[in-house]
Amino acid sequence: MSPRVVDPVARRQTVAEAVFRVVVRDGVEQASLRNVAVEAGLAIGSIRHYFDSHDDMIIFAVEALIHSIDQRVMAHVQSLKDRSDPRRPAERVLSEVLPLDDRRRDEAVLWLAFVTASRTRPSLVPHAERLYDGLRMLCRRALTVMTEAGTIAATHDVALESERLASLLNGLTVDGVLHPDRMTPDLTVSLLRRHLDSLR
């Protein structure tokens, strides 16, 4: 009987998804090699075979999260070129980073957990910075397209408005994670839409 062939890419992704479930449920502090192994249904030796350390495993999970969000957002970015009503495509693209359904809420919980953990874990700082900068780049891209289409006033300082919009999205995300019964998806979208309308 030939030995079972394990796809290392798939196995590492399985571990990342186990990290996600542990962090969403119990927090970053509980995402130990042992707990993640149990969650993934693997022997702890299997985890150590694919990751040199606990930090290596957590960093891989953060990168997997960033990649997942990037892929989904980029799938919608082309719609920003729709000149019929650029505000709506911008709203759809920006909504991808807000906790509006179970999947995006879990991603928001992970984002908040990993970014908070970076305050005391230096290895996570570069990844937290990528999340910080990526959101601002997305906001700037959306506002630039809207300005070029004449949907928002050309007199606006796009760089400053990008910071303001990113801060709004951050606040909506934190409130949506911590107070989901009060910052509901409907209210979240209404506040984003009102903000974009205020720039017209």
Side-chain angles (χ1 to χ4, degrees):
M1 187 177 188
S2 60
R4 183 181 170 203
V5 177
V6 177
D7 179 348
V9 174
R11 178 55 56 87
R12 285 166 71 88
Q13 186 60 36
T14 295
V15 173
E17 289 167 4
V19 172
F20 295 158
R21 292 193 296 274
V22 172
V23 172
V24 167
R25 187 178 64 239
D26 304 317
V28 175
E29 312 77 33
Q30 296 303 313
S32 65
L33 290 171
R34 185 172 302 282
N35 288 345
V36 169
V38 170
E39 183 69 31
L42 298 169
I44 193 167
S46 294
I47 304 287
R48 290 197 173 108
H49 178 72
Y50 292 100
F51 299 98
D52 293 333
S53 65
H54 175 262
D55 261 11
D56 187 33
M57 179 185 72
I58 296 297
I59 288 169
F60 179 82
V62 175
E63 284 298 309
L65 172 66
I66 292 172
H67 179 72
S68 175
I69 296 171
D70 281 350
Q71 291 285 99
R72 201 176 62 251
V73 168
M74 291 308 295
H76 292 277
V77 162
Q78 286 302 315
S79 68
L80 287 172
K81 296 179 181 178
D82 179 2
R83 293 296 195 263
S84 59
D85 182 5
R87 183 193 59 176
R88 293 300 180 212
E91 181 185 310
R92 283 196 299 273
V93 170
L94 296 170
S95 291
E96 286 300 323
V97 299
L98 294 171
L100 302 180
D101 53 30
D102 289 344
R103 178 181 179 180
R104 284 177 284 183
R105 184 177 185 279
D106 283 352
E107 287 178 345
V109 170
L110 291 166
W111 163 78
L112 190 56
F114 288 136
V115 168
T116 301
S118 73
R119 191 178 65 83
T120 55
R121 294 188 182 197
S123 62
L124 292 180
V125 171
H127 310 282
E129 292 293 324
R130 277 187 60 200
L131 286 165
Y132 183 91
D133 293 336
L135 180 60
R136 277 149 182 79
M137 287 171 59
L138 177 63
C139 290
R140 186 162 193 150
R141 186 167 187 174
L143 294 179
T144 297
V145 169
M146 293 173 71
T147 301
E148 290 170 351
T151 309
I152 62 176
T155 53
H156 285 301
D157 182 331
V158 172
L160 187 61
E161 290 299 338
S162 298
E163 291 290 338
R164 189 161 74 112
L165 178 54
S167 296
L168 172 66
L169 295 173
N170 276 333
L172 293 174
T173 299
V174 171
D175 284 354
V177 167
L178 300 181
H179 307 285
D181 54 329
R182 300 173 71 178
M183 184 54 68
T184 63
D186 285 346
L187 179 56
T188 299
V189 172
S190 293
L191 291 170
L192 172 59
R193 186 173 296 160
R194 175 164 292 208
H195 177 77
L196 293 176
D197 285 345
S198 74
L199 298 173
R200 299 182 77 173

